[in-house]
Amino acid sequence: MDNYIFRNAMGRFATGVTIITTQVEGEIHGMTANAFMSVSLDPKLITISIDHKARMLDFIKQSGQFAVSILKDEQQDISMHFAGQKESFSSVQFDKISGVPIIKDALAAVVCDVEEYNEVGDHTLFIGRVLDIELTDGNPLAFYGGQYGSYQMV
Ligand code: FAD
Ligand code: NAD
């Protein structure tokens, strides 16, 4: 099957947009991701999917921790920055919870220890055990058909 058809179909699943962050030897690394899912309530587990080509893969393996910051509609520039699509910032503003960097003023941030990880095809799925959560007010950034948008209640 053609890659284009697969991406086209997957792109019809509207998602939010997150920034995955981690820290190794004092250096923070961030990456835009929409492959994020809630997995379990008891215990509280989430999953992310990281391409084997992404530099983030080794950083998370080294640190054993990561955060998922869910972006607001006004944070599209941050998404583009951490996808390498646009160099918007000379320095990005981070906060920390439980010692793990998160994106400042994200709609929600979830900090995790790596519970386990599995290579699946050309990605690795990381299961994160939730350590801490931070919430702020705002509206979500959406991603659909390869384009950014904002969420509207019907
Ligand atoms: P790099 O390409 O090196 O880093 C990404 C960018 O972040 C660079 O511009 C870098 O300068 C900047 N950056 C990193 N750390 C910092 C810092 N501390 N301060 C300032 N800037 C910093 N890929 C996946 O594997 N899984 C997904 O679920 C996924 N979802 C995506 C969803 C969307 C909407 C988009 C647009 C892309 C998605 N990608 C996903 C692709 C992924 O975001 C890119 O391939 C990304 O460039 C891979 O990052 P990297 O870890 O290789 O690091
Ligand atoms: P796109 O049209 O390429 O993506 C549409 C959908 O296809 C995505 O939401 C995702 O579900 C799926 N997809 C795209 N690339 C994938 C990949 N390599 N592995 C697994 N699923 C993938 O959107 P775009 O705006 O052209 O994306 C910008 C860049 O970000 C592209 O290089 C794309 O490959 C990458 N991206 C990667 C993932 C991922 O899970 N690895 C997800 C989204 C975007």
Side-chain angles (χ1 to χ4, degrees), residues 29-103:
H29 187 74
M31 184 196 111
T32 303
N34 69 345
F36 161 65
M37 184 174 78
S38 170
V39 172
S40 160
L41 196 60
D42 185 18
K44 292 180 179 54
L45 302 172
I46 58 152
T47 190
I48 56 170
S49 177
I50 307 288
D51 195 312
H52 291 164
K53 292 197 282 289
R55 296 174 63 221
M56 179 58 84
L57 183 69
D58 285 333
F59 290 129
I60 296 181
K61 285 183 182 173
Q62 284 177 57
S63 73
Q65 291 188 313
F66 64 90
V68 180
S69 298
I70 300 170
L71 297 183
K72 292 180 182 170
D73 51 4
E74 67 217 39
Q75 294 176 317
Q76 180 179 330
D77 277 357
I78 297 180
S79 173
M80 295 180 79
H81 176 84
F82 284 104
Q85 294 171 327
K86 187 178 176 185
E87 281 299 326
S88 328
F89 304 96
S90 48
S91 72
V92 178
Q93 292 198 294
F94 299 100
D95 278 340
K96 277 196 181 167
I97 47 174
S98 299
V100 182
I102 61 169
I103 299 295

Side-chain angles (χ1 to χ4, degrees), residues 6-8 10-11 13 15 34-35 49-51 83 85 122-123 143 145-147:
F6 179 82
R7 284 164 65 158
N8 197 303
M10 296 305 113
F13 183 58
T15 65
N34 69 345
S49 177
I50 307 288
D51 195 312
Q85 294 171 327
D122 56 13
H123 281 54
F143 191 69
Q147 300 206 312

Side-chain angles (χ1 to χ4, degrees), residues 116-133:
E116 59 177 276
Y117 61 87
N118 285 297
E119 281 188 24
V120 183
D122 56 13
H123 281 54
T124 289
L125 298 181
F126 287 90
I127 305 290
R129 181 180 281 256
V130 177
L131 298 174
D132 211 342
I133 287 180

